[in-house]
Amino acid sequence: MSATGHDEALPEHLDASDSYWEEEALPALSDYVRIPCVSPEYDSSWESNGHIVRAAELLRDWAQARPIEDMHVDLVQLPGLTPVILADVAPAESDGKGGRQPPTVLYGHLDKQPPLGAWREGLGPFEPVREDDRLYGRGTADDGYSLFAALGAVEIAQRSGQGHGRCVAIIEASEESGSVHLAPYLDLLADRLDGAVPGLVVGLDSGAATYDTLWSTSSLRGIVTATVSVAVLSEGVHSGGGGGLVPDSFRILRALLS
């Protein structure tokens, strides 16, 4: 901040952020909590149930109502796939160089994990409950906040007269299922960017170890899923005769995994 000479504006920005979240973001985020938009992996009838589309429409309508200059918001759904929201904000650089900068892509998702057992008394997955500074409800942190955070940052920057480059938010709806529907939309996003390579991609779907500072995640551990079979015999043999001679299939599998 000191390098850009904006230290004196920081308290004003923080006040604007607090006001934005309390008055503009949290009411809509609470409405989002009430929608059981469970990821398609856990809801085979997601398309006919309509919850994912309803959540996407809620977020799209909220985004379209934001007072952000030169922003175009689309709800796109390819046949058989969960929808995505694309919010494209044109550059607003005070020095007039915004068009020369590569775009920034801001990623998030709106699908939810299913309820996993009982919650604490007074709390439920699809009923928002506010306790002090915490909003309880399925999907608030993973990852319903992402669109509000992305567009909120742009909105506050514009309010305070700060410039920004082109920002493109993409909010998908299959992340909790392994982002199985995302690839065709990335092709669509590439067309929207007219071949421009993003200068920065911000994935708003990680964690913060504490709440008194900003955290940035450079990488997360991944997961590889495989089905492995081990066969050592074509037919059963008596353990009294075969034990010790025939290798144990579990020990072979354990050695492979190790």
Side-chain angles (χ1 to χ4, degrees), residues 162-213:
Q162 303 297 314
H164 61 77
R166 184 182 178 189
C167 299
V168 182
I170 177 169
I171 308 297
E172 63 148 322
S174 69
E175 191 274 345
E176 300 293 1
S177 302
S179 292
V180 291
H181 297 169
L182 180 59
Y185 291 112
L186 293 181
D187 293 336
L188 177 64
L189 179 62
D191 292 339
R192 294 287 184 95
L193 295 178
D194 299 322
V197 177
L200 176 67
V201 177
V202 179
L204 292 165
D205 187 21
S206 186
T210 62
Y211 293 104
D212 58 353
T213 188

Side-chain angles (χ1 to χ4, degrees), residues 45-221:
S45 301
W46 67 267
E47 202 161 6
S48 59
N49 286 336
H51 301 310
I52 288 179
V53 171
R54 186 154 60 97
E57 290 174 342
L58 170 72
L59 298 184
R60 176 206 57 193
D61 293 347
W62 178 88
Q64 288 178 335
R66 302 313 309 154
I68 297 176
E69 295 181 5
D70 296 323
M71 178 174 69
H72 184 75
V73 181
D74 280 332
L75 175 58
V76 183
Q77 185 167 15
L78 299 175
L81 303 182
T82 53
V84 303
I85 299 169
L86 288 173
D88 192 346
V89 187
E93 286 291 329
S94 57
D95 59 8
K97 298 179 181 179
R100 304 174 191 171
Q101 298 179 355
T104 294
V105 172
L106 303 157
Y107 165 87
H109 69 89
L110 60 85
D111 56 314
K112 302 177 182 180
Q113 283 277 347
L116 302 174
W119 287 39
R120 196 186 77 202
E121 185 177 356
L123 298 181
F126 303 122
E127 182 57 39
V129 174
R130 178 76 178 267
E131 292 183 359
D132 299 322
D133 289 335
R134 296 173 182 264
L135 175 63
Y136 291 91
R138 178 60 94 204
T140 51
D142 187 14
D143 193 34
Y145 83 96
S146 55
L147 180 66
F148 300 96
L151 297 188
V154 174
E155 183 173 328
I156 292 170
Q158 289 189 357
R159 281 189 205 171
S160 59
Q162 303 297 314
H164 61 77
R166 184 182 178 189
C167 299
V168 182
I170 177 169
I171 308 297
E172 63 148 322
S174 69
E175 191 274 345
E176 300 293 1
S177 302
S179 292
V180 291
H181 297 169
L182 180 59
Y185 291 112
L186 293 181
D187 293 336
L188 177 64
L189 179 62
D191 292 339
R192 294 287 184 95
L193 295 178
D194 299 322
V197 177
L200 176 67
V201 177
V202 179
L204 292 165
D205 187 21
S206 186
T210 62
Y211 293 104
D212 58 353
T213 188
L214 293 173
W215 288 78
S216 176
T217 302
S218 58
S219 66
L220 290 171
R221 292 180 181 273

